[in-house]
PDB file of all heavy atoms in Angstrom:
ATOM      1  N   PRO B 502     -19.630   7.925  11.331  1.00 98.00           N
ATOM      2  CA  PRO B 502     -21.015   7.816  11.799  1.00 98.00           C
ATOM      3  C   PRO B 502     -21.148   6.820  12.961  1.00 98.00           C
ATOM      4  O   PRO B 502     -22.084   6.941  13.764  1.00 98.00           O
ATOM      5  CB  PRO B 502     -21.779   7.322  10.571  1.00 98.00           C
ATOM      6  CG  PRO B 502     -20.747   6.794   9.621  1.00 98.00           C
ATOM      7  CD  PRO B 502     -19.472   7.494   9.933  1.00 98.00           C
ATOM      8  N   PHE B 503     -20.241   5.862  13.054  1.00 98.00           N
ATOM      9  CA  PHE B 503     -20.249   4.888  14.158  1.00 98.00           C
ATOM     10  C   PHE B 503     -18.893   4.993  14.847  1.00 98.00           C
ATOM     11  O   PHE B 503     -17.860   4.836  14.210  1.00 98.00           O
ATOM     12  CB  PHE B 503     -20.490   3.477  13.615  1.00 98.00           C
ATOM     13  CG  PHE B 503     -21.843   3.351  12.974  1.00 98.00           C
ATOM     14  CD1 PHE B 503     -22.049   3.681  11.639  1.00 98.00           C
ATOM     15  CD2 PHE B 503     -22.936   2.954  13.728  1.00 98.00           C
ATOM     16  CE1 PHE B 503     -23.294   3.603  11.053  1.00 98.00           C
ATOM     17  CE2 PHE B 503     -24.199   2.878  13.157  1.00 98.00           C
ATOM     18  CZ  PHE B 503     -24.389   3.208  11.821  1.00 98.00           C
ATOM     19  N   ARG B 504     -18.924   5.274  16.143  1.00 98.00           N
ATOM     20  CA  ARG B 504     -17.685   5.572  16.848  1.00 98.00           C
ATOM     21  C   ARG B 504     -17.603   4.888  18.201  1.00 98.00           C
ATOM     22  O   ARG B 504     -18.598   4.837  18.954  1.00 98.00           O
ATOM     23  CB  ARG B 504     -17.573   7.094  17.101  1.00 98.00           C
ATOM     24  CG  ARG B 504     -17.681   7.935  15.855  1.00 98.00           C
ATOM     25  CD  ARG B 504     -17.553   9.423  16.147  1.00 98.00           C
ATOM     26  NE  ARG B 504     -18.544   9.965  17.053  1.00 98.00           N
ATOM     27  CZ  ARG B 504     -19.811  10.217  16.732  1.00 98.00           C
ATOM     28  NH1 ARG B 504     -20.258   9.977  15.508  1.00 98.00           N
ATOM     29  NH2 ARG B 504     -20.634  10.714  17.637  1.00 98.00           N
ATOM     30  N   ALA B 505     -16.423   4.366  18.510  1.00 97.00           N
ATOM     31  CA  ALA B 505     -16.164   3.889  19.873  1.00 97.00           C
ATOM     32  C   ALA B 505     -16.319   5.075  20.824  1.00 97.00           C
ATOM     33  O   ALA B 505     -16.039   6.210  20.474  1.00 97.00           O
ATOM     34  CB  ALA B 505     -14.751   3.321  19.953  1.00 97.00           C
ATOM     35  N   LEU B 506     -16.755   4.797  22.050  1.00 95.00           N
ATOM     36  CA  LEU B 506     -17.010   5.879  23.020  1.00 95.00           C
ATOM     37  C   LEU B 506     -15.766   6.740  23.267  1.00 95.00           C
ATOM     38  O   LEU B 506     -15.865   7.939  23.485  1.00 95.00           O
ATOM     39  CB  LEU B 506     -17.492   5.311  24.354  1.00 95.00           C
ATOM     40  CG  LEU B 506     -18.867   4.631  24.364  1.00 95.00           C
ATOM     41  CD1 LEU B 506     -19.345   4.445  25.796  1.00 95.00           C
ATOM     42  CD2 LEU B 506     -19.901   5.404  23.558  1.00 95.00           C
ATOM     43  N   VAL B 507     -14.611   6.086  23.232  1.00 95.00           N
ATOM     44  CA  VAL B 507     -13.378   6.798  23.538  1.00 95.00           C
ATOM     45  C   VAL B 507     -13.170   7.969  22.583  1.00 95.00           C
ATOM     46  O   VAL B 507     -12.524   8.966  22.934  1.00 95.00           O
ATOM     47  CB  VAL B 507     -12.180   5.820  23.518  1.00 95.00           C
ATOM     48  CG1 VAL B 507     -11.897   5.343  22.102  1.00 95.00           C
ATOM     49  CG2 VAL B 507     -10.942   6.452  24.122  1.00 95.00           C
ATOM     50  N   MET B 508     -13.758   7.891  21.407  1.00 96.00           N
ATOM     51  CA  MET B 508     -13.548   8.947  20.421  1.00 96.00           C
ATOM     52  C   MET B 508     -14.269  10.232  20.809  1.00 96.00           C
ATOM     53  O   MET B 508     -13.804  11.325  20.548  1.00 96.00           O
ATOM     54  CB  MET B 508     -14.027   8.453  19.044  1.00 96.00           C
ATOM     55  CG  MET B 508     -13.135   8.955  17.927  1.00 96.00           C
ATOM     56  SD  MET B 508     -13.711   8.385  16.337  1.00 96.00           S
ATOM     57  CE  MET B 508     -12.767   6.908  16.159  1.00 96.00           C
ATOM     58  N   ASP B 509     -15.437  10.087  21.453  1.00 95.00           N
ATOM     59  CA  ASP B 509     -16.176  11.282  21.868  1.00 95.00           C
ATOM     60  C   ASP B 509     -15.871  11.693  23.293  1.00 95.00           C
ATOM     61  O   ASP B 509     -15.980  12.868  23.636  1.00 95.00           O
ATOM     62  CB  ASP B 509     -17.699  11.019  21.785  1.00 95.00           C
ATOM     63  CG  ASP B 509     -18.194  10.967  20.344  1.00 95.00           C
ATOM     64  OD1 ASP B 509     -17.483  10.393  19.499  1.00 95.00           O
ATOM     65  OD2 ASP B 509     -19.295  11.506  20.076  1.00 95.00           O
ATOM     66  N   PHE B 510     -15.531  10.713  24.130  1.00 93.00           N
ATOM     67  CA  PHE B 510     -15.479  11.006  25.563  1.00 93.00           C
ATOM     68  C   PHE B 510     -14.122  10.756  26.201  1.00 93.00           C
ATOM     69  O   PHE B 510     -13.946  10.942  27.396  1.00 93.00           O
ATOM     70  CB  PHE B 510     -16.538  10.193  26.309  1.00 93.00           C
ATOM     71  CG  PHE B 510     -17.926  10.430  25.785  1.00 93.00           C
ATOM     72  CD1 PHE B 510     -18.532   9.522  24.917  1.00 93.00           C
ATOM     73  CD2 PHE B 510     -18.620  11.575  26.125  1.00 93.00           C
ATOM     74  CE1 PHE B 510     -19.798   9.743  24.425  1.00 93.00           C
ATOM     75  CE2 PHE B 510     -19.901  11.816  25.637  1.00 93.00           C
ATOM     76  CZ  PHE B 510     -20.501  10.901  24.785  1.00 93.00           C
ATOM     77  N   GLY B 511     -13.140  10.307  25.406  1.00 88.00           N
ATOM     78  CA  GLY B 511     -11.845   9.949  26.004  1.00 88.00           C
ATOM     79  C   GLY B 511     -11.973   8.667  26.783  1.00 88.00           C
ATOM     80  O   GLY B 511     -13.053   8.076  26.878  1.00 88.00           O
ATOM     81  N   ASP B 512     -10.874   8.259  27.354  1.00 74.00           N
ATOM     82  CA  ASP B 512     -10.886   6.996  28.091  1.00 74.00           C
ATOM     83  C   ASP B 512     -11.156   7.266  29.564  1.00 74.00           C
ATOM     84  O   ASP B 512     -10.323   7.774  30.282  1.00 74.00           O
ATOM     85  CB  ASP B 512      -9.549   6.281  27.927  1.00 74.00           C
ATOM     86  CG  ASP B 512      -9.614   4.882  28.535  1.00 74.00           C
ATOM     87  OD1 ASP B 512     -10.676   4.514  29.079  1.00 74.00           O
ATOM     88  OD2 ASP B 512      -8.611   4.180  28.449  1.00 74.00           O
TER      89      ASP B 512
END
Side-chain angles (χ1 to χ4, degrees):
Chain B
F503 297 86
R504 305 181 301 284
L506 294 194
V507 69
M508 217 180 267
D509 287 40
F510 304 100
D512 187 359

